[in-house]
Amino acid sequence: MTTAERTEFLTAGLRPHTCSDCGTCVLVKKNSWKHTSIQWTTDAAGSCPVFAEHVAAGESTALLDTCEKLTVSIAESVRQGEFGVLDA
C-alpha cells in the first residue's frame, strides 16, 4: 500500500463535528451503528474540558477512548441525520 493509499484509507469519509457541549471540533466517520472513528484536530487535553479534568487530576488520558460528552454529541448528530452510517 502506498502512502497516498494509506492516507486515503485512514481519512476517507471523515467529516468535521463540533461538540455540542464544549465546542471542540473533531473529525468523525461512522463506520457502523456501533463503530465511530474520531480524529482529534487539536490536543484533546487543551481543548476538551473532560480530558483537561483528567490531566488536572494527574491521570493519563492515553487510555480514554473519547469524551463521553462528545460521544453523546455525535450520537445526537447521527439521530438528526447529519452523519450517514457507512454500513447502513
Side-chain angles (χ1 to χ4, degrees):
M1 182 180 285
T2 67
T3 301
E5 290 170 326
R6 185 175 294 117
T7 299
E8 174 67 16
F9 175 76
L10 294 173
T11 61
L14 287 169
R15 296 186 40 218
H17 174 76
T18 301
C19 178
S20 61
D21 188 75
C22 72
T24 296
C25 186
V26 296
L27 299 175
V28 175
K29 176 170 51 173
K30 285 297 295 173
N31 298 304
S32 70
W33 291 109
K34 292 185 178 185
H35 184 258
T36 304
S37 295
I38 299 171
Q39 183 175 352
W40 291 80
T41 58
T42 60
D43 172 50
S47 61
C48 173
V50 172
F51 273 75
E53 285 178 27
H54 286 277
V55 170
E59 301 169 13
S60 170
T61 60
L63 298 179
L64 289 178
D65 286 334
T66 193
C67 166
E68 58 275 2
K69 293 178 181 181
L70 178 61
T71 300
V72 170
S73 179
I74 293 168
E76 182 58 29
S77 290
V78 170
R79 280 190 291 280
Q80 294 176 5
E82 294 176 30
F83 286 97
V85 177
L86 296 180
D87 77 351

